[in-house]
Amino acid sequence: MGASPRFYDEMFAGRTQVRPAYKAFAEWLNALPAEEVAQKRAEADWLFRRVGITFAVYGDKEGSERLIPFDQVPRIISASEWEFVSQGLKQRAHALNEFLHDIYHEQHILKAGIIPASQILTNHDYQLAMQGITLPNRIYSHVAGIDLVRDNRGEYYVLEDNLRTPSGVSYMLENRKMMMRLFPELFSMHAVAPVEHYPDMLLDTLRASAPAGVLDPVVVVLTPGRFNSAYFEHAFLAQQMGVELVEGPDLYVKDGFVQLRTTAGPRRVDVIYRRIDDSFLDPLAFRPDSMLGVPGLLSVYRAGRVAIANAIGTGVADDKSIYPYVPDMIRFYLSEEPLLNNVPTWQLRKPEECEHVLANLHELVVKEVHGSGGYGMLVGPAASKAEIEAYRARILASPSDFIAQPTLALSTCPTFVDAGIAPRHIDLRPFVLCGRDIQLVPGGLTRVALKEGSLVVNSSQGGGTKDTWVLEDA
């Protein structure tokens, strides 16, 4: 079951040597009859469908919702390893929030020449309307999903920062519930740190962002509606936090405040956890054709009478063309060295770096700077000559729209597949909450590329998920 030596195997240090964190699990797994595995897999699929844990794929001709495959081999992380990772994540989230405050205020990092001003001020996610607005606790990204990968030495790297409307936390929570239901004996054998308190932490974070003087803030989750690919998560989090799930028409602006229509009359809203992109939030300020937002919302927000999480204009910090500068942000704002490194990245807006990438497309991964969900990527080693040449033409037409990275030797974790158990590539998305303090639950969402040899873990591209265990010190 060991992986190729080119990749770091989370479970095996050699072909047969099990890593300490996996010792008890490996013994249990070896004693598990194959027919019980098959039965439990079928039960998990049935339960996920019953609960409605599905997602829609944009562009799917059938328009059907799909089940995200769930794998029953957990990804296990030791307590000491997690302590290092969590400190690195907190450091990064802190610096990114300082950066966002700075670029909408004094712009010290631009004046210092660390980041070219044009890369920020002409970025389509930079919102002029946010200039000069000081937010509670100087927090712009209240919820950050920071994607981590491990190389063939087992070292963690940040692959990307998701600061706008990061998704996936509902799967983290449901995966844990599923594992506890299917295999309760495993949790008596392992001291697994809990994650089920995440909704309480999220609600505390959102309440901490409320306008000054609001003692008992009313929080709502704003969704685009049931046809959104992440609608299950929006409804799930609202239900878990005990707050209202609302759509744009449920809210309106009156007398300078945002009001919620209820059967008992209007109710003032203080905090909006939005799962809608900036451009759809307010048709009076952004896209006039938007039916998803609330007319007049921006004026209330600018007046400090409602909080929006994550803040408008946050997207400029998770643009892939800004990602290479995050280590410099940590040094600039915190006077610290980054604990977690970036993946080496070429910026194609720079002619010499673009030339190098064009000469080596067959070896590299190229991404759109505004892309997400695994769409629009070129994975050079897996692409045909025709695909590479078509992508080359796109790059030449607009080099600044792309970055490139080496093809990573992503770590693997044993995974149930049709033929039995085999190594499959994984990443990890922990969720960092920034309120009065920066905190996160132990673990996150482990995504797994179920196709043999694939490095693309996104659910929209055929990936699945695993439960992530952080072991507590005995």
Side-chain angles (χ1 to χ4, degrees):
M1 292 198 312
S4 160
R6 291 193 300 123
F7 306 112
Y8 181 90
D9 190 305
E10 301 280 335
M11 187 169 173
F12 293 96
R15 292 194 65 82
T16 58
Q17 183 182 353
V18 178
R19 299 190 191 277
Y22 277 90
K23 188 173 186 300
F25 177 81
E27 292 172 356
W28 171 87
L29 183 61
N30 287 334
L32 193 67
E35 58 271 18
E36 186 173 341
V37 171
Q39 177 191 337
K40 295 290 188 180
R41 291 182 74 187
E43 185 180 345
D45 283 354
W46 180 80
L47 286 167
F48 274 136
R49 288 196 185 279
R50 184 181 177 192
V51 174
I53 306 177
T54 58
F55 73 104
V57 179
Y58 295 126
D60 186 5
K61 293 178 182 177
E62 298 178 4
S64 59
E65 293 195 335
R66 299 183 192 172
L67 190 72
I68 295 183
F70 168 67
D71 185 66
Q72 293 150 300
V73 178
R75 194 248 191 94
I76 305 177
I77 301 172
S78 69
S80 58
E81 191 176 293
W82 178 250
E83 176 61 23
F84 169 77
V85 168
S86 62
Q87 290 305 314
L89 292 167
K90 291 176 182 179
Q91 179 193 57
R92 193 171 180 100
H94 184 188
L96 284 163
N97 272 303
E98 288 296 314
F99 165 71
L100 284 161
H101 177 84
D102 184 27
I103 62 171
Y104 288 117
H105 290 81
E106 293 85 3
Q107 302 181 347
H108 293 304
I109 200 165
L110 306 185
K111 293 171 183 173
I114 292 171
I115 302 176
S118 61
Q119 257 182 273
I120 303 299
L121 303 180
T122 63
N123 190 296
H124 77 87
D125 286 313
Y126 184 81
Q127 298 290 359
L128 291 172
M130 290 298 295
Q131 288 185 347
I133 300 177
T134 299
L135 303 180
N137 306 310
R138 290 164 57 124
I139 300 299
Y140 288 72
S141 180
H142 306 80
V143 184
I146 298 178
D147 292 347
L148 302 176
V149 294
R150 299 180 85 172
D151 69 0
N152 57 357
R153 298 164 299 165
E155 184 174 341
Y156 283 95
Y157 286 83
V158 176
L159 183 63
E160 62 182 52
D161 306 289
N162 298 281
L163 305 180
R164 279 172 269 201
T165 54
S167 61
V169 74
S170 59
Y171 304 108
M172 174 189 82
L173 297 170
E174 288 295 326
N175 287 351
R176 176 61 52 84
K177 286 168 64 176
M178 185 65 68
M179 285 294 286
M180 294 181 79
R181 176 167 181 164
L182 295 176
F183 306 111
E185 69 275 15
L186 277 175
F187 291 87
S188 63
M189 296 164 53
H190 297 83
V192 181
V195 297
E196 60 267 18
H197 56 297
Y198 176 88
D200 294 332
M201 289 172 56
L202 175 60
L203 183 58
D204 287 345
T205 298
L206 296 172
R207 289 170 62 90
S209 72
V214 178
L215 301 179
D216 187 20
V218 172
V219 179
V220 299
V221 177
L222 176 60
T223 176
R226 62 182 65 254
F227 296 109
N228 183 266
S229 63
Y231 179 75
F232 165 78
E233 175 156 299
H234 308 163
F236 175 88
L237 288 175
Q239 188 269 331
Q240 292 290 309
M241 290 191 289
V243 305
E244 294 285 344
L245 178 69
V246 303
E247 297 182 30
D250 298 321
L251 303 177
Y252 65 99
V253 170
K254 185 177 181 182
D255 299 329
F257 293 95
V258 176
Q259 304 285 349
L260 170 64
R261 304 179 203 274
T262 77
T263 54
R267 187 182 187 196
R268 176 177 158 181
V269 172
D270 304 298
V271 181
I272 299 174
Y273 180 34
R274 54 83 171 242
R275 302 300 294 262
I276 294 176
D277 290 343
D278 286 357
S279 58
F280 295 99
L281 277 174
D282 181 349
L284 299 183
F286 304 113
R287 284 185 54 158
D289 60 340
S290 172
M291 303 294 289
L292 303 176
V294 184
L297 175 60
L298 180 63
S299 64
V300 181
Y301 185 49
R302 284 183 57 86
R305 292 174 176 168
V306 70
I308 298 175
N310 288 344
I312 294 172
T314 302
V316 69
D318 73 6
D319 186 301
K320 292 181 178 63
S321 70
I322 305 304
Y323 160 90
Y325 297 103
V326 179
D328 291 327
M329 294 178 200
I330 293 170
R331 299 182 185 100
F332 185 77
Y333 296 112
L334 309 184
S335 300
E336 299 171 359
E337 281 301 308
L339 295 173
L340 295 169
N341 292 318
N342 275 15
V343 174
T345 301
W346 291 276
Q347 299 184 65
L348 274 61
R349 65 172 56 239
K350 298 181 178 180
E352 68 281 5
E353 296 189 17
C354 184
E355 184 179 345
H356 170 81
V357 169
L358 289 171
N360 295 278
L361 282 177
H362 60 289
E363 297 178 353
L364 303 174
V365 174
V366 188
K367 303 176 182 178
E368 299 171 338
V369 296
H370 305 306
S372 63
Y375 295 103
M377 290 171 52
L378 174 75
V379 181
S384 67
K385 287 186 177 179
E387 288 169 335
I388 288 174
E389 291 311 308
Y391 214 94
R392 183 190 307 277
R394 293 183 60 201
I395 292 170
L396 289 169
S398 185
S400 62
D401 287 344
F402 300 91
I403 62 162
Q405 295 171 330
T407 305
L408 296 174
L410 295 189
S411 65
T412 64
C413 186
T415 300
F416 285 112
V417 296
D418 290 341
I421 293 181
R424 290 293 184 266
H425 295 291
I426 57 173
D427 77 353
L428 176 65
R429 176 175 291 181
F431 296 91
V432 187
L433 298 175
C434 300
R436 294 184 184 90
D437 302 303
I438 303 177
Q439 53 187 339
L440 63 166
V441 295
L445 179 67
T446 290
R447 301 182 298 178
V448 54
L450 295 174
K451 298 175 184 174
E452 184 175 2
S454 174
L455 299 172
V456 182
V457 299
N458 305 76
S459 55
S460 55
Q461 309 295 312
T465 66
K466 291 173 173 281
D467 192 12
T468 308
W469 294 3
V470 172
L471 300 184
E472 296 180 313
D473 286 322

